[in-house]
Amino acid sequence: MTLLFNCQSISKSFGSKPLFQDLSFSLFSSDQLGLIGPNGSGKSTLLNILTGKEKPDSGTLSFKKGLKIGYVPQACEFPPLPIKEILIATLEDFDIPDYEKEVLAETWMSKMGFTESEPTANLLSGGWKKRLSIAKELILSPDLLLLDEPTNHLDLEGILFLENFLKKANLTFLIVSHDRYFLQNTTNRIFELNPTYPEGMFSIDGTYDNFLEKKEEFLQGQLHQERSIASKARRETHWLRQNAKARTTKSQARIDEAHELLEEFSDIKKRNRQKTTSLDFSATERVTRKLIVAKNLSKKLGEKTLFQHLDFTLSPGTRLGLIGPNGSGKTTLLKLLASEIDPDLGSIKTAEGLQTVYFDQHRIQLPLTLSLRKALVPYGDHVNFRGREIHINGWCKRFLFSPDLLDLPISKLSGGERARIAIAHLMLQPADVLLLDEPTNDLDIPTLETLEESLLDFPGAVVLITHDRCMLHRICNLFLPLGNLEDTQLYPDYSQWESSMITKDAKPKVKEKKDTDISTLPATKLSYKEKKEYEQVEEKIAKLEAEVKALNHLLENDEITKDSKKLQEICSAVGIFETQIEQLYIRYEMLDQKKKQSGD
């Protein structure tokens, strides 16, 4: 286990808003770290500091010499070039033969599920762009990979692929994510940025479930600590307020101790005030049992049939989850239910005077120059919520915004803070049916949990599209899979649908691509030079592995581990040899496959 970097007392503010203060932590080569925290706590900013894009206001960062960091941002855009060309261009500064660059590019295309027939990179979907962005970083063999919200805007297929890839890959990474199942399945350490904790952070080795247990224990202990010093604080306050004659006899030391105690009490009270968004959807509480009845619904997009022969009924209390890959018609079905478009076949019957609210995060495009005040309350200083007037100060606090920030332009807010503004708009509209298209993007975990509780309490019907498996499990009592025209049945829970997918005979798309990637190479014979290379590659691997073994043996020497310069040299050499070994194995696999195909 090697120390990769260490942060000591780093602080960062955004204007007058402090993100984190006196933050200290380290990361080691064995860590697979999940970074969480409330919206606006500085998670993405911390990644930018680690990559050198930003500098802390104060404090120091120490990195292992020669540390290579790969960074995958939330948004991934590429030029109109073939995927292979983009990966080869990434290696242009490496002094390796062109054929090795091609081999590495083809290997990472295969690992990520790409084929030669893919469209140019700019035409890829969001999920496939994310895969390409990860491949671009990993082809450079980084010591540490940073991923900022890698599951945002991915469909379930893309999330499961990424999850399985990270579980199998021997990588050191730091992931910013609010996807609770993803964190549980991929990380071995959780680190939360949150002013609730005395040092502004809380870190636990183990899974996300372990973290939740330890966090609850810590917060309960902090509450007990507040109660235990509360009575003493009251006594000291009374003592300090005694009349002037008594004050002349007071010990200065006790006065100082009393002020320290009161300051500690004030600080712990502030930290124990758990802030959560207050969500309460306006419902008409209609009595009828049939809000929407869909019969034999079918819809095409051009020549592609999205779905056909769909039948379902939405009643009060129905919470329907739409699941399926991107492009399977989930958003199209929501638009049908919202009466924005018409079906090609079938009918949708709605209760008389039905009120639906359609939430599409991409539709709420507020000007970035707009102030938070105008974004939350467009007219005047009050909103009408469920028949009562609420002042703007109370309304903004409901969504965890300080009234001091009301004049701040929303361009200065994080993605999660902007998402809370979008939900504020949604809550002002009374509804029988909520149609929600990806309402969870960018929301922090406490807000996600509050949103889930609010949807469970909503008396009307909910139709939900989300990639958040935890929310699907918690909220939905009915599931409709799209993407397979032969499977139009409804499932009572997510696990049943997941089990049905596992038992299907068809192999996953990604697996098919991996299986055919190498086998589609031309079946030409090995050249004389390739035969010599093939005969020598095993010997080269054995020699390099012996070198690595000898260097690892040196690392057990206490004198060397105390010499930071020598330690750095040995670790760097091990990293170089291991990269060469991996490249030789890749080359051996390619030559061996070619040899078998040609019958040599």
Side-chain angles (χ1 to χ4, degrees):
M1 186 170 66
T2 306
L3 178 66
L4 299 185
F5 69 78
N6 179 55
C7 298
Q8 282 293 329
S9 302
I10 63 171
S11 301
K12 187 69 177 178
S13 296
F14 196 77
S16 61
K17 178 184 178 184
L19 296 178
F20 45 79
Q21 293 179 307
D22 295 323
L23 190 67
S24 299
F25 74 102
S26 302
L27 190 135
F28 297 87
S29 56
S30 59
D31 284 340
Q32 294 172 332
L33 179 64
L35 175 60
I36 63 175
N39 293 139
S41 59
K43 301 182 295 296
S44 294
T45 300
L46 181 57
L47 292 194
N48 287 332
I49 289 173
L50 295 178
T51 59
K53 293 181 180 180
E54 293 188 37
K55 294 191 177 299
D57 298 335
S58 61
T60 58
L61 288 92
S62 304
F63 294 92
K64 170 190 163 188
K65 188 176 180 181
L67 181 70
K68 292 189 292 184
I69 296 178
Y71 173 59
V72 179
Q74 291 188 32
C76 310
E77 295 300 330
F78 297 99
L81 294 173
I83 293 160
K84 187 174 177 180
E85 282 188 28
I86 287 176
L87 292 177
I88 290 174
T90 305
L91 297 165
E92 64 179 343
D93 293 333
F94 280 61
D95 186 20
I96 58 176
D98 288 344
Y99 79 85
E100 285 191 22
K101 291 179 182 179
E102 284 208 29
V103 168
L104 281 170
E106 289 166 0
T107 300
W108 279 105
M109 284 179 66
S110 177
K111 284 183 177 182
M112 290 296 167
F114 290 107
T115 66
E116 296 284 356
S117 61
E118 300 287 354
T120 54
N122 62 310
L123 299 177
L124 293 172
S125 68
W128 287 94
K129 283 181 179 177
K130 186 75 70 175
R131 295 190 195 197
L132 179 54
S133 185
I134 292 171
K136 271 194 69 191
E137 297 303 321
L138 292 182
I139 201 171
L140 300 174
S141 300
D143 303 302
L144 169 64
L145 183 65
L146 307 178
L147 301 107
D148 194 357
E149 296 287 2
T151 64
N152 261 13
H153 309 292
L154 294 191
D155 58 17
L156 286 173
E157 180 188 12
I159 291 172
L160 291 172
F161 170 85
L162 181 57
E163 190 174 282
N164 290 327
F165 176 80
L166 290 175
K167 281 195 288 189
K168 293 176 182 177
N170 185 25
L171 296 172
T172 300
F173 55 78
L174 188 161
I175 294 178
V176 173
S177 180
H178 299 135
D179 188 321
R180 292 155 288 181
Y181 278 21
F182 187 76
L183 290 168
Q184 173 68 19
N185 293 332
T186 59
T187 61
N188 60 18
R189 181 182 168 197
I190 300 292
F191 172 33
E192 182 178 15
L193 277 177
N194 198 321
T196 294
Y197 307 115
E199 297 176 355
M201 55 153 287
F202 188 62
S203 179
I204 289 293
D205 291 336
T207 65
Y208 181 68
D209 283 347
N210 298 142
F211 169 81
L212 291 179
E213 291 175 13
K214 297 297 183 183
K215 176 181 178 178
E216 181 63 23
E217 289 175 9
F218 179 88
L219 293 179
Q220 287 298 322
Q222 191 165 263
L223 282 170
H224 290 314
Q225 184 184 6
E226 179 186 340
R227 295 188 190 108
S228 69
I229 64 175
S231 58
K232 187 175 181 181
R234 283 193 294 271
R235 287 198 306 271
E236 294 303 300
T237 301
H238 175 73
W239 185 77
L240 287 170
R241 288 174 178 170
Q242 289 178 2
N243 59 40
K245 183 179 178 180
R247 281 202 300 272
T248 60
T249 63
K250 289 176 183 174
S251 161
Q252 184 61 45
R254 183 174 175 184
I255 292 175
D256 293 342
E257 288 175 5
H259 283 299
E260 286 177 10
L261 178 70
L262 293 174
E263 188 175 334
E264 179 187 359
F265 182 56
S266 174
D267 180 59
I268 198 170
K269 276 182 68 177
K270 183 179 179 181
R271 284 190 275 111
N272 279 334
R273 273 194 222 112
Q274 292 290 306
K275 294 183 178 180
T276 56
T277 311
S278 179
L279 303 179
D280 186 9
F281 296 105
S282 296
T284 63
E285 301 186 6
R286 185 185 293 270
V287 178
T288 180
R289 298 307 303 163
K290 292 184 178 181
L291 300 174
I292 296 178
V293 179
K295 289 287 187 184
N296 197 35
L297 284 187
S298 299
K299 187 66 180 178
K300 283 187 175 183
L301 184 62
E303 295 300 313
K304 179 184 178 182
T305 300
L306 297 176
F307 47 79
Q308 58 188 8
H309 312 311
L310 297 184
D311 297 303
F312 56 88
T313 299
L314 299 180
S315 302
T318 300
R319 297 186 294 275
L320 176 65
L322 302 183
I323 46 183
N326 287 339
S328 60
K330 301 187 296 293
T331 296
T332 300
L333 182 53
L334 276 196
K335 289 180 178 179
L336 285 173
L337 297 177
S339 301
E340 291 194 359
I341 58 175
D342 297 320
D344 296 334
L345 291 173
S347 63
I348 299 176
K349 295 183 179 179
T350 61
E352 186 177 352
L354 185 78
Q355 297 186 63
T356 61
V357 168
Y358 180 20
F359 175 85
D360 178 358
Q361 196 162 288
H362 300 293
R363 298 172 93 204
I364 303 175
Q365 299 292 341
L366 298 172
L368 295 180
T369 55
L370 197 68
S371 68
L372 176 61
R373 178 188 305 276
K374 289 298 182 183
L376 284 174
V377 184
Y379 308 106
D381 289 328
H382 293 80
V383 296
N384 188 300
F385 179 64
R386 306 192 78 171
R388 61 192 179 93
E389 295 287 315
I390 299 178
H391 190 267
I392 188 172
N393 287 352
W395 189 243
C396 73
K397 288 178 182 177
R398 190 182 187 100
F399 297 94
L400 304 186
F401 294 113
S402 167
D404 297 336
L405 302 177
L406 283 173
D407 294 321
L408 193 72
I410 61 175
S411 61
K412 303 293 186 183
L413 302 178
S414 69
E417 288 170 325
R418 294 181 205 175
R420 294 206 300 265
I421 294 173
I423 291 177
H425 283 261
L426 171 68
M427 288 175 53
L428 292 175
Q429 307 169 62
D432 301 299
V433 179
L434 294 175
L435 306 175
L436 308 177
D437 194 349
E438 295 290 4
T440 65
N441 282 336
D442 299 312
L443 293 181
D444 58 26
I445 291 174
T447 306
L448 283 174
E449 291 171 346
T450 305
L451 177 60
E452 288 167 355
E453 294 296 336
S454 301
L455 292 176
L456 286 169
D457 290 339
F458 180 68
V462 176
V463 184
L464 175 67
I465 299 173
T466 181
H467 62 259
D468 191 313
R469 289 163 290 168
C470 186
M471 176 171 279
L472 286 170
H473 270 290
R474 261 196 99 189
I475 297 301
C476 298
N477 51 26
L478 204 59
F479 291 86
L480 175 61
L482 300 177
N484 181 356
L485 298 179
E486 304 304 318
D487 184 7
T488 59
Q489 67 171 309
L490 294 167
Y491 292 84
D493 62 57
Y494 180 83
S495 300
Q496 283 196 23
W497 171 75
E498 204 168 37
S499 299
S500 75
M501 295 299 292
I502 293 172
T503 57
K504 289 186 187 299
D505 293 331
K507 293 181 180 179
K509 179 182 177 184
V510 172
K511 185 64 178 176
E512 287 174 3
K513 289 181 177 179
K514 285 184 178 178
D515 287 346
T516 58
D517 190 62
I518 293 177
S519 63
T520 54
L521 291 172
T524 56
K525 289 188 176 183
L526 292 174
S527 67
Y528 175 78
K529 185 178 178 182
E530 286 175 329
K531 283 182 180 179
K532 283 291 185 184
E533 184 184 359
Y534 180 75
E535 291 167 0
Q536 296 171 0
V537 70
E538 290 187 73
E539 183 182 350
K540 289 181 179 178
I541 290 173
K543 285 182 178 179
L544 288 171
E545 288 179 338
E547 292 280 3
V548 171
K549 185 176 180 180
L551 290 171
N552 283 328
H553 184 68
L554 287 176
L555 291 174
E556 297 174 5
N557 188 320
D558 290 340
E559 290 184 8
I560 288 177
T561 56
K562 291 175 183 177
D563 185 340
S564 59
K565 185 178 179 181
K566 189 68 176 175
L567 182 64
Q568 173 61 38
E569 290 174 357
I570 292 174
C571 289
S572 297
V574 169
I576 292 169
F577 286 145
E578 287 180 342
T579 300
Q580 292 174 350
I581 290 169
E582 182 181 1
Q583 290 173 352
L584 284 171
Y585 272 117
I586 291 168
R587 182 62 176 164
Y588 180 80
E589 184 183 348
M590 297 285 290
L591 292 172
D592 189 56
Q593 184 70 27
K594 190 174 180 180
K595 182 173 181 288
K596 289 176 181 176
Q597 287 180 335
S598 63
D600 282 355

